[in-house]
Amino acid sequence: MCGIVGYVGYRNSQDILISGLRKLEYRGYDSAGVAVFTNAGLEVKKAKGRLAVLESHLEERPLNGGIGIGHTRWATHGKPSDVNSHPHTDTSSKFSVVHNGIIENYLELKEELAAAGAKFVSETDTEVISHLIASLYEGDIVKAVQKAVKRMRGAFALGVLTEHEPEKLVAVRLASPLIIGVGEGENFIGSDIPAILEYTRNVYILNDGEMAVLTKNDVTLMTMEGNVISREMFHVDWDLVTAEKAGFDSFMLKEIHEQPKAYRDTMGSRIADGRVVLKEIGLSADQLKQVERVHIVACGTAYHAGLVGKSVIEKLVRIPVETDVASEYRYRDPIITPNTLVIVVSQSGETADTLAALREAKRCGARVLAITNVVGSSVAREADDVITTWAGPEIAVASTKAYTSQLIAFYLFGLYMAQELGIRDSAYIAEVIAALEQLPEQVQAILERAEDMKVYAEQVAKHNSLFFIGRGLDYAVALEGSLKLKEISYIHSEAYAAGELKHGTLALIEDDIPVIALATQGELIEKTVSNIKEVTARGGYVYGFVFEGDEGEMAKSVNHVFAIPRTLPLLAPALSVIPLQLLSYYASLARGNDVDKPRNLAKSVTVE
């Protein structure tokens, strides 16, 4: 869960590396470092803290040279510190490595290398790689890296330099994302496209088990066995401005406000004449008829989108759907048959646990549908079918527009299944689609009332604990609202199915403790109001969220009411989550936190 950037070319590499790391800082930000070939040889500069700390060191003593590698770290092995920061070198300081991922057998390798004379200075698994490559080097850095990779177990993306061959930059991908940027007289590596988009739009996306050798005038793709690969270049058609703040105070606020556009783009050409058109998937009506059950597998926020997806598919299609946390899926020995459709959901398309679940599902013969925001990602390439969410780059660690775009994808797929199987008539499908098409304007209406949520958030920010409650789809949204608040405000928060309060949770309610209550599901409102009264009777301070038209009744039972535009109850999550995102955002600001880079978290979780 780190950011890698590398450069070889005619420019000063330090400038390119720092620029790229700035675009990747969302992937890891507890330390940063660079290694550059200068007239004095291979020089490394690294520092604990945000990238600005490293930049200040480089201002005092720049590293000048045309080839280098850089890294922003999110600690897995060893606490954040200068010495644990990347890049790492071998004992002779002739080899330098940056690494994203985990080396599972690093202790075994470390003992072997130390016995042979290697001097280790850090607590990291990455330092083992530099010593291992050095021990295997016999005049050819490519072969040394290939031999090293065969000795290592785990997940990794690597950038490797050696002073012995100062014109070459070697890149390796195994389970962690890495792309190659191709320029004129210069070439790049990066963990993500924004890192290099300022300099080139032409990229190769490495697949698992592939490597690349870069010089300033050439890029060679190959397998780990050395077989050269021919691949079409991918041209990036979005611009860097979409990955910048565009006048907003933070990426998260920008991305919250981009949701109306993300809704429209994700629906886009997939709706025509009152029907859903999913040309990008190959599931015919006959194949859909063979589906006996659906498994939805994801992590974190994407899992919460999956909970909504479960309700949508079960209601529209009437087949059983299971939701699973991806990190648990493989280990519970799930019952998967060829008639199981597995839907994996990942914003980045590189989430390690979700990838592992995808591979397990395919091994068992299931068809896999991916919902992801990144074209060309591992999840997108390995799934049988893909629904891309056109949310655009999401930079803030806490997901907002990617989550809601995933909801839109589930609505579209659920409607598509019901439509193709003839389970719902055309009038019903058209009614839901018409309501879907109104969502962007309704989201905009909520965003225009952001100041209301700011007032609530400043009250909530004074507390160290609070609760979210809801029933049905409201409970699924409550889980996401609670997670968002925890992620960026660091306030302890829990979400409960409202009907479960009386089974133990009411013991936690005390005077003035905030409770966020969602009540958008018509047939459940009376029961939810009854649960709210149980809370207020014990001193809880309740913020109620309902559809417009229901606020009068709700006001009798809560301290504050926020009304959202009315839509079909099935679509309510696409609206009700918006004020909860704003609540979390403003609560975090009120507490003085860095909204875009919450402590201990990273954007793309590429380790298990």
Side-chain angles (χ1 to χ4, degrees):
M1 295 185 291
C2 308
I4 289 174
V5 65
Y7 175 79
V8 52
Y10 60 88
R11 311 188 208 215
N12 183 14
S13 63
Q14 175 186 299
D15 298 337
I16 309 296
L17 299 177
I18 293 300
S19 173
L21 293 178
R22 198 174 294 119
K23 305 297 190 304
L24 294 176
E25 197 175 8
Y26 68 93
R27 296 179 64 95
Y29 43 85
D30 58 41
S31 59
V34 296
V36 175
F37 280 125
T38 70
N39 291 333
L42 183 59
E43 294 192 67
V44 176
K45 186 78 71 174
K46 51 190 184 176
K48 174 187 174 182
R50 296 290 172 86
L51 183 60
V53 179
L54 174 65
E55 289 183 87
S56 67
H57 292 334
L58 291 172
E59 286 176 4
E60 296 172 5
R61 187 176 178 279
L63 302 180
N64 297 310
I67 181 169
I69 50 179
H71 189 270
T72 58
R73 180 173 186 253
W74 185 85
T76 54
H77 290 67
K79 64 184 179 182
S81 69
D82 290 355
V83 72
N84 285 334
S85 305
H86 298 212
H88 287 284
T89 59
D90 70 309
T91 305
S92 69
S93 296
K94 301 294 186 184
F95 297 81
S96 185
V97 173
V98 288
H99 166 221
N100 177 16
I102 286 179
I103 307 303
E104 294 173 353
N105 61 331
Y106 85 101
L107 285 175
E108 170 191 328
L109 293 170
K110 185 173 184 178
E111 290 174 0
E112 175 188 322
L113 292 162
K119 304 297 182 184
F120 288 86
V121 297
S122 78
E123 304 168 86
T124 69
D125 55 340
T126 301
E127 189 184 0
V128 167
I129 305 171
S130 55
H131 289 287
L132 181 61
I133 293 171
S135 72
L136 297 170
Y137 185 74
E138 296 177 339
D140 188 329
I141 186 58
V142 176
K143 290 182 179 178
V145 170
Q146 290 169 338
K147 291 176 183 176
V149 167
K150 290 178 181 178
R151 297 286 315 278
M152 298 186 296
R153 296 196 309 270
F156 44 85
L158 305 177
V160 182
L161 298 177
T162 178
E163 196 171 303
H164 299 299
E165 299 177 57
E167 77 287 354
K168 290 181 182 176
L169 168 56
V170 180
V172 175
R173 175 188 176 155
L174 184 65
S176 290
L178 202 64
I179 57 102
I180 310 298
V182 180
E184 295 185 7
E186 58 184 352
N187 293 301
F188 312 78
I189 67 172
S191 293
D192 205 349
I193 289 171
I196 63 172
L197 195 55
E198 183 177 348
Y199 306 103
T200 182
R201 292 176 175 276
N202 295 320
V203 303
Y204 292 115
I205 300 173
L206 289 185
N207 294 328
D208 273 357
E210 295 180 351
M211 62 188 299
V213 182
L214 290 71
T215 65
K216 66 180 182 180
N217 294 315
D218 190 43
V219 172
T220 303
L221 307 183
M222 64 180 70
T223 66
M224 294 302 177
E225 292 72 37
N227 299 317
V228 175
I229 298 167
S230 177
R231 175 168 300 143
E232 186 177 345
M233 221 176 298
F234 176 71
H235 182 76
V236 181
D237 58 8
W238 45 269
D239 60 53
L240 194 60
V241 173
T242 63
E244 299 295 346
K245 293 181 183 176
F248 287 91
D249 291 336
S250 68
F251 283 114
M252 184 176 178
L253 187 60
K254 171 179 176 280
E255 289 156 10
I256 289 173
H257 281 265
E258 286 175 337
Q259 286 174 116
K261 181 179 186 299
Y263 282 30
R264 291 189 190 96
D265 290 348
T266 299
M267 285 186 255
S269 60
R270 292 163 172 160
I271 292 175
D273 300 323
R275 290 175 59 82
V276 175
V277 181
L278 292 180
K279 294 180 180 178
E280 63 264 54
I281 68 174
L283 280 162
S284 66
D286 286 341
Q287 289 171 317
L288 288 172
K289 288 176 184 176
Q290 302 303 313
V291 175
E292 295 176 348
R293 70 181 70 195
V294 176
H295 292 178
I296 298 175
V297 187
C299 300
T301 285
Y303 172 74
H304 294 156
L307 293 175
V308 175
K310 167 185 167 68
S311 293
V312 168
I313 293 171
E314 287 186 339
K315 180 175 179 61
L316 293 176
V317 188
R318 306 309 297 163
I319 61 174
V321 181
E322 298 179 27
T323 51
D324 255 297
V325 176
S327 58
E328 295 291 327
Y329 188 65
R330 287 181 298 160
Y331 306 111
R332 71 171 182 84
D333 194 18
I335 300 171
I336 304 172
T337 72
N339 293 330
T340 302
L341 174 66
V342 176
I343 303 176
V344 297
V345 191
S346 169
Q347 183 278 139
S348 67
E350 303 293 348
T351 310
D353 289 315
T354 306
L355 264 172
L358 181 157
R359 291 163 182 162
E360 175 67 11
K362 294 198 73 171
R363 186 188 69 79
C364 294
R367 190 179 185 103
V368 178
L369 167 68
I371 296 176
T372 183
N373 195 42
V374 181
V375 175
S377 62
S378 295
V379 160
R381 292 197 308 275
E382 296 187 29
D384 298 295
D385 303 282
V386 183
I387 298 176
T388 304
T389 54
W390 299 110
E394 188 177 69
I395 305 302
V397 169
S399 179
T400 51
K401 65 176 181 173
Y403 165 79
T404 47
S405 296
Q406 289 161 2
L407 298 187
I408 300 300
F410 272 117
Y411 290 133
L412 291 172
F413 183 67
L415 286 166
Y416 178 77
M417 288 188 76
Q419 168 188 288
E420 296 303 300
L421 293 172
I423 295 171
R424 297 285 181 169
D425 62 36
S426 58
Y428 177 85
I429 298 291
E431 178 190 4
V432 180
I433 287 174
L436 268 176
E437 291 178 317
Q438 292 176 20
L439 290 177
E441 289 72 25
Q442 292 175 317
V443 170
Q444 188 60 47
I446 296 172
L447 293 173
E448 289 169 3
R449 297 170 56 205
E451 286 298 313
D452 292 347
M453 297 314 303
K454 185 176 181 180
V455 172
Y456 294 170
E458 288 171 351
Q459 297 169 353
V460 164
K462 299 173 184 176
H463 296 266
N464 293 318
S465 186
L466 77 156
F467 300 95
F468 288 72
I469 61 173
R471 284 175 174 261
L473 282 170
D474 286 332
Y475 173 49
V477 177
L479 286 164
E480 173 58 15
S482 177
L483 175 62
K484 210 56 52 196
L485 189 73
K486 283 183 279 197
E487 282 180 310
I488 61 172
S489 75
Y490 318 145
I491 299 171
H492 170 258
S493 171
E494 298 295 337
Y496 294 99
E500 289 297 295
L501 289 173
K502 54 187 171 290
H503 298 294
T505 314
L506 278 174
L508 298 173
I509 301 299
E510 55 190 17
D511 285 349
D512 294 327
I513 193 165
V515 177
I516 311 299
L518 301 170
T520 67
Q521 303 301 296
E523 71 277 14
L524 295 171
I525 287 180
E526 288 185 1
K527 293 187 180 299
T528 303
V529 169
S530 175
N531 300 139
I532 289 171
K533 289 179 177 178
E534 293 169 354
V535 169
T536 56
R538 289 156 179 82
Y541 194 91
V542 181
Y543 300 82
F545 292 79
V546 296
F547 281 142
E548 291 173 350
D550 294 336
E551 58 264 49
E553 279 301 310
M554 178 61 71
K556 299 174 184 177
S557 304
V558 303
N559 300 91
H560 297 283
V561 180
F562 187 94
I564 64 174
R566 185 172 289 277
T567 188
L568 299 176
L570 185 70
L571 305 184
L575 296 179
S576 60
V577 74
I578 307 297
L580 304 188
Q581 293 170 348
L582 291 167
L583 180 76
S584 301
Y585 174 79
Y586 287 117
S588 180
L589 280 189
R591 293 185 136 221
N593 299 333
D594 186 334
V595 176
D596 287 334
K597 302 183 182 73
R599 68 189 183 200
N600 302 332
L601 301 178
K603 182 65 176 175
S604 182
V605 185
T606 54
V607 296
E608 293 186 58

